[in-house]
Structure formats: C-alpha cells, structure tokens
Amino acid sequence: MRRIKLYIGWTLLLTFVGWGQMVSGQGMPKDSLAKQWLDSATVYLRSGDFVKAEQFCLATDSLAREIGLQKAILGANIGLINLHIDNDNYIDSILTDILPIIREVDQPNYWFEYYVDRGQIANLRMQYDRQIVWADSALQVARESGDSLGAGIVYIEMALAYSNIRNFEASEEMGRQALDIFEDIGIQYYIGYGNRMIAGAFAEREEGDSALFYFQRSLESFEAENNLNQVAYTLTSMGRVHLEMGDLEEAEATLMEADKTYDRTGSGNWEVGQNQWYLHMATIYLETNRPELARETALQGIAIADSLELLEDKANLTEVIIRANLMENNLEAHYLDTLLEIRSKEYELGKAKEVLNLREKYLSDERERKIAALTILSQNAELKAQSRLFWLLGGISFVVLAGMVILILFLRARQRTREQMNELNRRALQLQINPHFFFNVLNSINNYISQNDQKAARYYLAKFARLMRLALENSQYDLVPLGNELDLVEAYLKLEQIRRDKFDFRIEVPEDLRDVKVPPLLLQPFVENSVIHAFPDRMPDKGLIRITAIEKENLLTVTVTDNGVGLKKLQGSPKMNEKSSLAIKILRKRLQAFGKKSGSIVFGNTNPDASFPGTLVDINIPVNLPS
C-alpha cells in the first residue's frame, strides 16, 4: 500500500497567523500579505484542496523572496514539500535550497521539519536505516524544544520505517508511543492517525479482529473532526481487512460506504485511497462470481494506477481482469496460477543469477582440479604397485627371505595407497557436500521473492552475499579454525533473524579455543534444525540458541543447545528426519575419515522435565586432527 504522509507542515505554517480565508490584499503591506497567503495555503492543505494550496505556496514563496521574509519562504517551501511528498528529487532540491535559511533562522521547528523530510527522502529511496537515523534527530529536537506533537509525529515516521522492513511488532510499538502523545494533546486528527498506524500493524500480521478494533477508533476520531478524506481512506482499509478475513458481505458494505464518502469529499485528490478501493472492490466482485463488474471496476483502478505509476497495484488489477475473463468464458483459472508461479521462478532465478554463477564457477574449477589430481595419484599408485609386484616375483626366484621382505613392502605400499585413495574420496565427497548449505539459504530468499516482497528480497540477498563469501573461504580447506566456523554460523543466524524474528542466540566460546582446527561447515546443520523446527509460534517465550565449547583431555566438545520443542518432537517431524539424517550421516563420515577415534555426535535434551525440553547436541572432536 502506498505511503500516505502525515501533513506535519500545518503546525509550521501556523507560526505566523491564525486560521482564516484569503482576502484581496488591496492596500495591505507585502509582509502581511505574504503571511495571509501562507495562512490560506494552510487552510487548503488541511482541507485536501492541494491545487489551491500549491498556488498559494508558490505565490507566497515569490513574494517572500522579493521582500526577504525568511520565515515565509520556509513556510511556503515546507508546504510545497508536503504537496509533493512522493517526489524525492524535488524534496531534495527544495531542502538544499532552504538549508542556508534554516541555519540563519535557527529555530527548532524548522530543523524538525528538515530532519523529518530528510527521513522521507530516505524512505522513498528505500534507505530505511537512514530514515530511522533522521527520525532520531527530529525526535531529539522535538524533545529539547518541548514539542510533544512533533515527537508524536516522529514516532509515526518510525512506525512507517519499521513497517517497510516488515518488523510489524516494532511498528505497532512506535504507533502506540505516538497515540499516547496524541491523546494527551487531544487533537482528534492525530488520534485517528495513531490508531490507524496500530491497526495497520495488526492487519499486516493478519490479526483481523484487533485491526478492525483500532480502525474503528481511528474512524470515530476522523468523523468527530468531519475529515471526509481520512474517513473514506479508513473505511477502505477496513474493507480490505474484512476481505482478507473472508467476510465478503461486510467487506462490500464497508467499501460502498467508503465510496459514498469519497463522492462527498468532491476534491478528487485521494487517488491513492480510491485506487485501493477499486482493487478491493474488484476482488470482491470476482470472489462473488460477478466477473463483468470485477472487470469494469479493475479497469477504473488501472487508470488511476497508471496516472500515479503504481506498478504493483496495476499488476494486481490486471490479474483481476484476467481472472474475470477466465470466469466469464468458463475457462480454467489454474493455468493462470501456473503462469504466475513460473514468472515468480523466473524472477527468482534472475535475482540469484550472479550468486549462482559465482558458486558454479568455483565448484567447476575446483572439481576439475581435484579430479585431475586424483587421476594422477591413482595412476602413480597403480604403477608403483605393479613395479613392486614385479620385483616380488623376481625376488622369489632367489631366496624365500627376500621374497617375504618384498611381499611385506608390497602390502604396506598397498595400504598406503588405499589410505591415499580414501583421503581423495573424502575430499571429493566434501565437494558434493559444500553446496548444500548455500542452496538451503538460497531457498530462504526464494520465500521472499515468491511473496513478491522485492524490498525484503533485495535486503536479504545483500546479507546472503556476505555469508557466501565466508562459506566459500572456509570450504577451500579440509580443516579451519573454530573461530572461522563460528563467524559463519553467526552470519547465518543473523540472516535467519531477519526472516524469523522469534529467537535470539549466544556464542560463548573462549578465545583460546577459537584457533582449534575443525572440519568446515560443522555446526550449520544443527543450528539450522533449531532455527527451522525447534520454535513453534505457540511458544510462550522467545527461542534461544546457545553455542559453547570446552577442551578436556585433548578432546574439543562443541555444544549446540536450544529451548525449543525437544529432541523427541524434532525426530517426529518427517521434514526434519529426511534432511537432518542425511546431513548428520555425512558429517559422521567426514569425522570418521580422520580415523576411527576422530570424533562423535551425541544428542539429548537440554531440560527433559520442562514443557519445552529443548535439544542438546555434543560434537566431540580430537584437538589434533591430521590435516
């Protein structure tokens, strides 16, 4: 859903005079006339008549520059920023132009607006971390100047930033902080906006009843202020929630009420809200077997989406039209579902192409090198064995003792050759194992792309690139320092926290053990089991994964524990058994390749008597493994 900015410029435009309508200005001093025009711009901005608001802002700016009235220049340009809030380049140019004036005037309200609008530019450019930094600067100014309303507005900005990175719990918390402030101030418009932010967080988490409760509170505030634009937009949002809950009758009734309210506004300046209305209404017509109405409604929505360049809305409306045509002609819609799935896969492959090419090139070159080395060593071993056999047969004709010596030498050479072959096979096996982890993580990226969440997919892919670099470096060696393995696991867990914000982790390993050599990709299968299977949504507390290590009698024990559902329930999961048993089997073979007493893996429960007994895995490795 397109972002609707809270028009905070009102409070700054009101710096000069009280509310009132524009007068002719005949015989009025120019400074008074500039203030009067700015006051009129504020009135039109709040009422939703953005065309007239822009005309007064431009006239005020021109006159104020002529007479050097700096505060009027700032007020007019702040109004223009609010009118063009979705144009980041335009906002950037205005802020650059007025920054010297802000420094000269040096008043908190102008610095506050400057920081908030810089955050808006970061939002439009999807730089959400920078948006939060700018919002923090604005919050500090608001607190130092005692501007409670400004502080509430900043909390709204931060709620929007967290919503954009799909951290809806944090978004809800910021919305509640804002609502507490707005209720103390008692301005119904802002109370309505705070409630709507909280409702939006619940709606995104698919908690429909809670979302409707806060949407209703928001609606009551906007109705008390007789703000028809906001009433219509809130009703549209409520219709969407009813639709997602499957209550089509209530959804249609709510959206029809929103449509009547849009007609009453008569301003025509809420195309974004109306575009959402067309999308939800067309979907209802489609779900209730009214394809002709669905198609007509979607076409009206596409006209608005085209004018505002809302590509995602246009795509969704186009899909409604296609489905309506299929329904009207009694054609099977599952072909469209198949097409959308294929397109999603193509998009996924395009996004991951660079990463896959890098990984495949590395694996191809490495395989060729190892296969060539394996062939040469095998040929050498065969030639040596044949040579020793020849001398054995020749020596038997001389003396039995010489023949026995040669036989013993032959048997020892053959044993050494077998050990060399085992080592080469182990390395070849490692080449096959290393890609598994990378493609498992790549599947996680696929989940975001399948949900058409492009922002999260790009963010996740950037984090994954760093993880790949660590994994590629470790996989080049038979043994790596434990510290390298822990760095890789830490990167993996941080990556998973972006997608599964339901667990924390701790790595508590003494520094003197981080140099102990262990096989690469040793811990990831067990950590992944905990991340994916150990923490169900019904857990009363947040999940915790701990990694510890101790050394005793030249044996390194690395322990992975969690406080999840426990070993018994994990083993009862078919998906877990199919994947984990293979990973653990391969890991045991890798440890055995170093010798019969090279290591072991022991499973247990962290707290057997608890309702969530957790899982415990001890991985025992000799300190001095042969490299």
Side-chain angles (χ1 to χ4, degrees), residues 510-527:
E511 285 296 325
D512 59 335
L513 296 183
R514 296 178 71 90
D515 293 328
V516 176
K517 295 296 184 68
V518 298
L521 302 179
L522 179 70
L523 304 176
Q524 192 273 338
F526 306 104
V527 172

Side-chain angles (χ1 to χ4, degrees), residues 195 198-200 202-203 207-216 238 241:
N195 277 297
I198 299 172
F202 280 117
E207 299 178 36
D209 291 335
S210 297
L212 290 173
F213 173 79
Y214 283 98
F215 273 132
Q216 182 61 40
M238 295 175 72
V241 174

Side-chain angles (χ1 to χ4, degrees), residues 40 194 277 538 588 612 622:
S40 297
W277 183 92
R538 60 183 176 82
R588 280 179 169 145
F612 283 83

